[in-house]
Amino acid sequence: MRAARLWFGGIAAVVAAALIIQLVLVFTGGQDVNTFMPTTKQSLGMRLVSLFSYFTIQSNLFVLGTSFALAVSIRRDGLLWRVLRFDAILGIIITGLVYETILAPLVHPTGWALAATIGFHYISPWATLLGWLVFGPRPRMSWFVMLLTMIWPAAWLVYTFVRGALTGWYPYPFLDVTAIGYAASFRNCAVILAIAIGIAALLTVLDRRLPALVQDGGVVDAA
């Protein structure tokens, strides 16, 4: 359990460092590592709102919060906790896959922006997945928890399209209605949602079948 707590604490530290770097870059007019478009003409307030509108940042916030909580109490449990943790794992896997397959060729971070990119898009996704595979804790996932987990991605899509319709700003090129139209944008959403549901279903099945170094047993903390 000590090794698990150190692992999750390390993940939390990496994500926190990447977030601090990115916030400093936003405040100083530096590169936003989440976008392929320059943001220097946006106001500071708009840049901050845009920053926290990225799925990447939101999924990393889930990872930061749940990893820190696991570092404090590795046997943490409860329905709300299970949903938040599932959202963290699913969201950050999607973040890693989408960045590597679609976004990486479009952005070219350097310096501190590169350090933030490595934290957000490489260390956080795969360290989180590896930590879950090795340490668990499990079982924590069920079909009902999976259903509740999908509320956040669905809400994020609704928010993204509503805000995009009002401002003309979309966080990712494959969702940019002004550039590719609603039909292509909705098709891309459907593909990514289908992949997300497939990954979530796989995680749910594996959670019940894979061994883990931290199994249920003993006193469990409430979420």
Side-chain angles (χ1 to χ4, degrees):
M1 288 195 296
R2 179 177 297 177
R5 293 174 67 181
L6 287 172
W7 182 272
F8 292 121
I11 293 173
V14 168
V15 176
L19 183 60
I20 291 170
I21 291 170
Q22 181 60 87
L23 285 171
V24 170
L25 290 173
V26 168
F27 276 99
T28 58
Q31 183 180 6
D32 184 340
V33 302
N34 302 280
T35 182
F36 65 102
M37 298 290 289
T39 59
T40 53
K41 293 184 179 180
Q42 295 180 351
S43 67
L44 176 59
M46 183 62 69
R47 293 187 75 192
L48 285 171
V49 172
S50 296
L51 176 66
F52 288 100
S53 296
Y54 287 106
F55 189 87
T56 294
I57 297 299
Q58 292 186 18
S59 62
N60 271 281
L61 288 174
F62 275 111
V63 168
L64 173 59
T66 58
S67 295
F68 178 78
L70 285 170
V72 172
S73 177
I74 194 64
R75 291 196 181 278
R76 185 175 296 273
D77 201 1
L79 178 59
L80 177 59
W81 165 255
R82 293 184 179 206
V83 174
L84 293 175
R85 185 58 182 162
F86 205 155
D87 271 323
I89 297 169
L90 176 63
I92 207 65
I93 291 173
I94 296 299
T95 291
L97 291 175
V98 170
Y99 183 81
E100 187 61 35
T101 58
I102 300 175
L103 300 177
L106 303 178
V107 295
H108 306 284
T110 59
W112 287 108
L114 178 60
T117 294
I118 292 171
F120 284 142
H121 299 112
Y122 292 102
I123 297 177
S124 179
W126 311 125
T128 297
L129 177 59
L130 181 60
W132 176 77
L133 288 171
V134 174
F135 298 111
R138 55 177 154 265
R140 291 290 187 272
M141 299 172 180
S142 67
W143 299 113
F144 179 63
V145 171
M146 173 183 158
L147 180 63
L148 295 178
T149 297
M150 302 309 296
I151 293 175
W152 163 57
W156 179 83
L157 283 174
V158 172
Y159 164 78
T160 296
F161 282 111
V162 170
R163 184 168 185 258
L166 295 174
T167 66
W169 181 89
Y170 294 86
Y172 302 110
F174 53 85
L175 298 180
D176 192 344
V177 171
T178 59
I180 64 176
Y182 277 103
S185 183
F186 288 167
R187 182 184 65 246
N188 293 338
C189 284
V191 171
I192 293 174
L193 273 176
I195 293 172
I197 291 171
I199 293 173
L202 179 61
L203 291 173
T204 301
V205 172
L206 291 178
D207 185 66
R208 298 289 171 174
R209 298 186 178 182
L210 287 179
L213 294 183
V214 182
Q215 295 280 354
D216 270 342
V219 179
V220 178
D221 298 327

